[in-house]
């Protein structure tokens, strides 16, 4: 995919036991570096990425450091750094001021060579010295990618908050017209705030939902999720990514069903799945330009798929798809040695996710291919499939930009339907498997109106323009409309008649009540279209209890990443001994908290809201979940805390909805989401 996030949206409520995110005192690692100093270093390593490092200490390290001088500072004995230095000395590395794509095999290899160096650094001084040294030499895109994934996964940088990518590499997130205006502002030394708009006109019905795919928070979610769970991840780097394949399914499933809910809100049909043998219905004009390397390619409507030279033939994708569907029908995957891996169970989805993506966790990439990753490249290259025009990669070849193209959601609907085929092959849950004996949901209600609105969001473009230290910066920013919702609470009354305290998991979902033709969804149709709104654990003493859950507390969402300006300011305060105030920020892997609700419409889009209270003792994979408020989102290091499959108890087919409607531990109400056209404009 281009991680939903995605922060899918999602990619969705993936919960992995996380690094306790920023705790900005002066904690030290073995190397003695304080967290505030680490934050300072990362801020300056990523600021003005196309120019010199603007911190004299870091610049000094970059100029004087010899990466190979002391190999005892690396946990791999220096193997990774020697390999990278060899390619550097042989002039094999991509030059600076050139586009970077993770889907380009050689460019990915170079970025991962640097990641390999950083992840094996034993202390912060070695980590930051290498980062500073290679920042001056390597391609900027490769460097940014390597540093981000290293900071996310290295224990040395556990408490560092990464700045928003839309301020580090604004070209990938900002329309060309606005970038041009930013350059003019810099050249004339006149500060400017420029309005960004979405990429098209009202003549294109897809514009009605452009606020979703082109939202920079959604783009950040998607790219960050793919950094937390990279397809190239090998456990030798440090740790195993728990349930990575299933997370891949769920984050993109949630992106897909959320997109369909936005389409319903705007009187559009659900997105159709992509077919390799049919035209790509929607074209796309990105209106974005690489910092170096020309414009992102456009694609007209109704283009027929062509083979992409050096990447894949369409018939090969059809063969790989048929092999995957055969595996689902057989109920097993064949690994490289010819052994059968049973997937007719609740963990089968994890194997299937690894196969479809395909990640290095795939048990047989030679036979099952890399459907997802190859499809992204093939779809992204349809503007220039034979390389006649030497066009740079399309938006689908970057996780930052992929969700901007409506065909992204067609591609993921196609893969989501393959996952559904597998899920529907599993036996439905029995009443016994769904019941939480002695526990009942007595009442579910909403406090506050479920109402969405649009607001302007401003971000800085200082990193978009070239500059020198001799010319002072001027304030340059852009503002763009984005979806938000008013605060609300979900109120739940639960009775525990067991006579003793129990741990309970509370799972909250919602799906549209009617389809695009005004026909009521069956329960089975609805549950596959369910948006995960929240999941949390509570201790239930005997008796009746009233819970209120604020929308802002949702486990599937995260707040906006602090801006560069905020990070600089808070870091300065922390270095002076003050509390930085950054402790509230989680990983950027969840969907933006303002995207919790779909847009809805003036009449009120009706949703079925369901609450399932299940046995926390059976569900919990780690202890203390009822006390932990920090890691109920998409994830980070460690074990995924919920034993149940993503989407449980709605992840399997429901032949008879009375099974659910008669469950005492299941609550079901209907609600409406309104959008009255309110727009909070920029001052």
């Amino acid at each position: 995919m281009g991680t939903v996030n995605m922060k899918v949206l999602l990619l969705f409520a993936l919960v992995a036991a996380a690094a306790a995110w920023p705790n900005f005192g002066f904690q030290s690692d073995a190397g003695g570096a304080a967290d505030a100093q680490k934050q300072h270093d990362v801020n300056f390593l990523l600021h003005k990425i196309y120019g010199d490092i603007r911190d004299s200490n870091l610049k000094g390290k970059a100029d004087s450091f010899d990466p190979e001088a002391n190999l005892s500072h690396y946990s791999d004995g220096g193997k990774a750094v020697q390999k990278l230095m060899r390619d550097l000395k042989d002039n094999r590395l991509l030059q600076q001021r050139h586009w970077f794509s993770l889907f380009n095999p050689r460019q990915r290899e170079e970025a991962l060579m640097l990641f390999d160096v950083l992840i094996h650094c034993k202390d912060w001084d070695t980590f930051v010295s290498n980062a500073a040294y290679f920042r001056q030499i390597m391609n900027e895109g490769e460097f940014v990618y390597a540093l981000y994934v290293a900071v996310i996964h290295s224990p040395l940088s556990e408490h560092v908050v990464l700045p928003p990518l839309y301020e580090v590499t604004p070209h990938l997130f900002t329309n060309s017209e606005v970038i041009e205006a930013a350059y003019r502002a810099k050249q004339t030394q006149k500060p400017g705030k420029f309005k960004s708009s979405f990429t098209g006109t009202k003549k294109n019905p897809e514009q009605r939902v452009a606020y979703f795919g082109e939202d920079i928070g959604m783009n950040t979610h998607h790219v960050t999720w793919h950094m937390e769970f990279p397809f190239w991840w090998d456990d030798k780097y440090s740790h195993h990514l728990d349930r990575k394949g299933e997370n891949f399914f769920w984050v993109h499933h949630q992106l897909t069903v959320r997109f369909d809910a936005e389409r319903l809100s705007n009187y559009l049909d659900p997105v159709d799945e992509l077919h390799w043998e049919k035209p790509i219905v929607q074209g796309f004009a990105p209106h974005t330009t690489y910092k170096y390397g020309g414009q992102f390619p456009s694609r007209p409507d109704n283009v027929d798929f062509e083979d992409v030279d050096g990447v894949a033939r369409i018939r090969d994708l059809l063969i790989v798809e048929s092999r995957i569907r055969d595996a689902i029908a057989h109920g097993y995957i064949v690994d490289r040695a010819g052994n059968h891996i049973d997937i007719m169970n609740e963990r089968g989805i994890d194997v299937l996710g690894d196969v479809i993506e395909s990640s290095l966790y795939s048990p047989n990439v030679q036979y099952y291919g890399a459907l997802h990753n190859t499809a992204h490249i093939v779809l992204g290259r349809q503007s220039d499939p034979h390389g006649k025009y030497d066009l740079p990669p399309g938006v689908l070849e970057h996780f930052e930009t992929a969700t901007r193209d409506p065909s992204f959601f067609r591609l993921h609907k196609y893969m989501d339907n393959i996952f559904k085929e597998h899920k529907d092959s599993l036996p439905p849950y029995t009443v016994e498997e769904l019941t939480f004996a002695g526990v009942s949901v007595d009442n579910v209600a909403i406090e506050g109106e479920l109402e969405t609105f649009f607001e302007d969001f401003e971000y800085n473009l200082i990193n978009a323009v070239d500059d020198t230290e001799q010319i002072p910066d001027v304030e340059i920013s852009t503002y763009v409309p984005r979806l938000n919702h008013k605060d609300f609470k979900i109120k739940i009354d639960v009775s525990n008649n067991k006579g003793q305290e129990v741990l309970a998991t509370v799972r909250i979902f919602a799906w549209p009540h009617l389809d695009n033709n005004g026909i009521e969804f069956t329960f089975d149709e609805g549950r596959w279209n369910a948006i995960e709104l929240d999941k949390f654990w509570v201790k239930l003493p005997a008796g009746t209890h009233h819970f209120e859950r604020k929308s802002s507390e949702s486990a599937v969402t995260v707040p906006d990443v602090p801006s560069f300006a905020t990070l600089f300011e808070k870091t300065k305060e922390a270095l002076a001994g003050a509390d930085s105030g950054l402790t509230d920020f989680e990983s950027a892997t969840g969907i933006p908290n303002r995207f919790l609700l779909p847009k809805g419409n003036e009449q009120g889009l009706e949703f079925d809201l369901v609450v399932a209270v299940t046995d926390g003792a059976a569900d919990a994979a780690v202890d203390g979940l009822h006390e932990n408020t920090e890691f109920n989102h998409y994830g980070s290091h460690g074990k995924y805390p919920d034993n149940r499959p993503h989407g449980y108890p709605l992840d399997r087919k429901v032949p008879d909805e009375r099974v659910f409607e008669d469950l005492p531990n299941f609550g079901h109400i209907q609600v409406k989401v309104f959008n009255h056209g309110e727009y909070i404009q920029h001052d």
Side-chain angles (χ1 to χ4, degrees):
M1 165 182 102
T3 214
V4 137
N5 225 228
M6 345 177 316
K7 241 278 233 179
V8 154
L9 215 218
L10 115 277
L11 56 49
F12 23 137
L14 309 176
V15 190
W21 262 63
N23 176 8
F24 254 61
F26 278 84
Q27 299 183 21
S28 298
D29 64 3
D35 285 336
Q37 182 61 46
K38 293 179 182 181
Q39 184 70 51
H40 170 92
D41 292 343
V42 171
N43 291 349
F44 277 97
L45 284 169
L46 290 166
H47 186 51
K48 302 202 171 184
I49 194 66
Y50 296 101
D52 289 337
I53 300 172
R54 296 299 173 89
D55 178 76
S56 56
N57 185 40
L58 280 176
K59 185 75 169 69
K61 286 181 189 290
D63 292 339
S64 62
F65 184 64
D66 178 358
E68 296 177 287
N70 190 341
L71 300 183
S72 67
H73 285 207
Y74 304 98
S75 57
D76 64 347
K79 282 183 193 165
V81 78
Q82 287 176 321
K83 181 181 176 186
L84 180 55
M85 289 300 288
R86 221 169 17 247
D87 275 22
L88 173 63
K89 290 166 185 171
D90 290 346
N91 289 317
R92 292 197 65 214
L93 300 180
L94 179 68
Q95 72 267 33
Q96 292 190 321
R97 292 166 170 71
H98 187 285
W99 55 261
F100 160 73
S101 170
L102 190 66
F103 286 111
N104 179 295
R106 174 59 192 173
Q107 292 178 8
R108 179 172 68 247
E109 182 186 358
E110 292 179 12
L112 297 192
M113 284 160 73
L114 177 56
F115 167 78
D116 209 4
V117 171
L118 297 175
I119 203 73
H120 284 109
C121 293
K122 289 183 178 179
D123 57 81
W124 184 253
D125 190 59
T126 306
F127 183 105
V128 77
S129 298
N130 272 293
Y133 177 83
F134 287 108
R135 181 193 190 276
Q136 298 203 137
I137 294 164
M138 288 187 67
N139 173 269
E140 299 87 353
E142 291 180 352
F143 171 80
V144 168
Y145 184 78
L147 184 62
Y148 264 76
V149 286
V151 167
I152 286 168
H153 292 283
S154 171
L156 294 174
S157 45
E158 190 176 1
H159 303 292
V160 171
V161 178
L162 284 159
L165 272 165
Y166 48 79
E167 290 193 344
V168 177
T169 52
H171 279 73
L172 294 176
F173 300 87
T174 313
N175 289 1
S176 312
E177 297 88 344
V178 171
I179 296 289
E180 288 167 10
Y183 267 106
R184 284 194 296 275
K186 181 64 188 273
Q187 286 164 346
T188 57
Q189 288 287 287
K190 289 179 182 171
K193 290 181 185 177
F194 308 106
K195 178 164 186 170
S196 283
S197 56
F198 300 121
T199 55
T201 71
K202 290 181 180 178
K203 290 181 178 178
N204 178 7
E206 294 298 318
Q207 279 306 109
R208 296 184 214 164
V209 286
Y211 64 83
F212 185 80
E214 295 186 31
D215 183 89
I216 58 171
M218 179 58 62
N219 303 148
T220 300
H221 155 67
H222 187 221
V223 68
T224 307
W225 186 89
H226 277 281
M227 289 173 170
E228 293 269 9
F229 298 96
F231 64 82
W232 47 261
W233 183 264
D234 191 316
D235 289 355
K236 71 180 182 191
Y237 289 127
S238 59
H239 57 279
H240 182 72
L241 300 178
D242 193 29
R243 290 168 66 173
K244 178 179 176 318
E246 186 182 8
N247 288 352
F248 170 79
F249 149 67
W250 185 247
V251 78
H252 293 91
H253 173 67
Q254 283 294 294
L255 271 178
T256 305
V257 298
R258 283 178 173 275
F259 185 61
D260 274 347
E262 300 297 346
R263 295 178 74 84
L264 270 178
S265 300
N266 291 283
Y267 310 102
L268 292 170
D269 290 345
V271 71
D272 281 332
E273 69 173 347
L274 173 148
H275 291 272
W276 298 116
E277 294 164 305
K278 293 182 181 177
I280 311 164
V281 179
Q282 287 98 10
F284 183 58
H287 283 253
T288 43
T289 306
Y290 284 93
K291 171 78 173 174
Y292 301 103
Q295 295 186 339
F296 277 87
S298 296
R299 183 186 66 250
D301 288 347
N302 298 309
V303 168
D304 288 318
F305 274 109
E306 290 189 46
D307 297 343
V308 176
D309 295 357
V311 175
R313 295 175 297 189
I314 299 304
R315 72 183 190 196
D316 295 334
L317 288 166
L318 288 164
I319 290 167
V320 163
E321 177 194 335
S322 70
R323 289 173 179 175
I324 293 168
R325 291 191 190 275
D326 276 353
I328 293 168
H330 282 121
Y332 60 81
I333 297 283
V334 180
D335 71 12
R336 289 180 190 86
N339 303 310
H340 290 186
I341 301 170
D342 180 18
I343 59 171
M344 291 295 288
N345 53 61
E346 65 177 23
R347 294 292 179 245
I349 190 76
D350 192 41
V351 182
L352 194 60
D354 289 331
V355 163
I356 287 175
E357 186 174 17
S358 113
S359 71
L360 289 191
Y361 285 8
S362 171
N364 194 347
V365 71
Q366 186 171 347
Y367 184 69
Y368 295 110
L371 183 61
H372 168 265
N373 293 348
T374 308
H376 262 273
I377 305 170
V378 167
L379 196 47
R381 296 276 176 90
Q382 287 306 305
S383 305
D384 187 21
H386 309 300
K388 284 172 67 176
Y389 309 110
D390 195 25
L391 294 181
V395 292
L396 282 147
E397 294 176 76
H398 302 272
F399 290 132
E400 295 94 326
T401 56
T403 62
R404 297 168 69 96
D405 188 334
S407 66
F408 168 88
F409 295 100
R410 295 189 70 207
L411 174 64
H412 278 282
K413 176 67 74 78
Y414 156 73
M415 279 179 275
D416 198 51
N417 286 345
I418 299 175
F419 283 120
K420 185 175 190 296
E421 216 167 280
H422 163 69
K423 281 286 190 178
D424 285 353
S425 73
L426 300 174
Y429 291 115
T430 63
V431 173
E432 293 71 33
E433 288 174 311
L434 295 168
T435 306
F436 190 5
V439 174
S440 62
V441 175
D442 304 327
N443 190 52
V444 178
I446 299 289
E447 180 181 301
E449 180 129 305
L450 298 181
E451 186 179 340
T452 66
F453 60 93
F454 283 90
E455 63 181 5
D456 282 337
F457 175 67
E458 184 180 347
Y459 62 95
N460 197 295
L461 293 179
I462 204 78
N463 283 353
V465 297
D466 297 316
D467 69 349
T468 67
E469 294 192 54
Q470 290 72 43
I471 301 173
D473 287 335
V474 291
E475 285 297 315
I476 311 168
S477 60
T478 184
Y479 58 98
V480 61
R482 67 177 189 175
L483 186 68
N484 204 339
H485 62 80
K486 297 186 175 174
D487 291 337
F488 64 91
K489 288 181 188 171
I490 298 178
K491 302 161 79 170
I492 309 165
D493 293 325
V494 180
S495 294
N496 171 11
N497 300 314
K498 281 181 171 288
Q500 63 187 46
E501 185 179 70
V502 294
L503 179 66
T505 317
V506 182
R507 305 167 190 276
I508 306 172
F509 298 89
W511 64 77
H513 184 63
L514 305 174
D515 70 10
N516 49 311
N517 293 315
I519 300 167
E520 188 175 329
F521 274 127
T522 65
F523 191 96
D524 191 51
E525 290 166 336
R527 59 99 201 164
W528 187 255
N529 285 283
I531 293 167
E532 185 170 24
L533 294 177
D534 206 352
K535 171 165 57 178
F536 58 97
W537 285 264
V538 288
K539 278 283 178 76
L540 288 179
T544 303
H545 304 277
H546 178 76
F547 296 106
E548 294 189 357
R549 184 77 168 175
K550 295 178 186 172
S551 53
S552 58
E553 296 173 318
S554 169
V556 309
T557 67
V558 294
D560 286 328
V561 183
S563 68
F564 246 135
T566 302
L567 284 175
F568 277 124
E569 180 188 332
K570 299 292 185 187
T571 306
K572 196 173 178 182
E573 291 169 8
L575 285 168
D579 179 3
S580 74
L582 289 171
T583 49
D584 295 339
F585 295 98
E586 310 271 346
S587 157
T589 327
I591 61 166
N593 51 18
R594 49 197 177 71
F595 263 23
L596 184 61
L597 293 179
K599 173 178 156 279
N601 53 37
E602 184 73 36
Q603 291 75 32
L605 190 65
E606 200 167 8
F607 282 84
D608 288 74
L609 187 141
V610 298
V611 174
V613 178
T614 59
D615 184 352
D619 297 348
V622 293
D623 295 330
L625 287 170
H626 60 292
E627 297 165 342
N628 196 317
T629 58
E630 301 219 353
F631 67 136
N632 300 342
H633 54 86
Y634 284 92
S636 189
H637 312 297
K639 188 169 176 59
Y640 188 88
D642 189 359
N643 269 324
R644 300 293 188 184
H646 289 310
Y648 171 85
L650 303 177
D651 60 311
R652 296 200 191 174
K653 65 184 176 188
V654 181
D656 185 349
E657 64 192 63
R658 290 172 301 180
V659 169
F660 272 89
E661 298 296 358
D662 295 342
L663 287 174
N665 56 314
F666 185 82
H668 183 180
I669 61 171
Q670 276 162 16
V671 298
K672 285 187 175 180
V673 180
F674 292 91
N675 182 284
H676 298 303
E678 185 180 349
Y679 182 18
I680 300 173
Q681 296 198 0
H682 195 275
D683 54 21

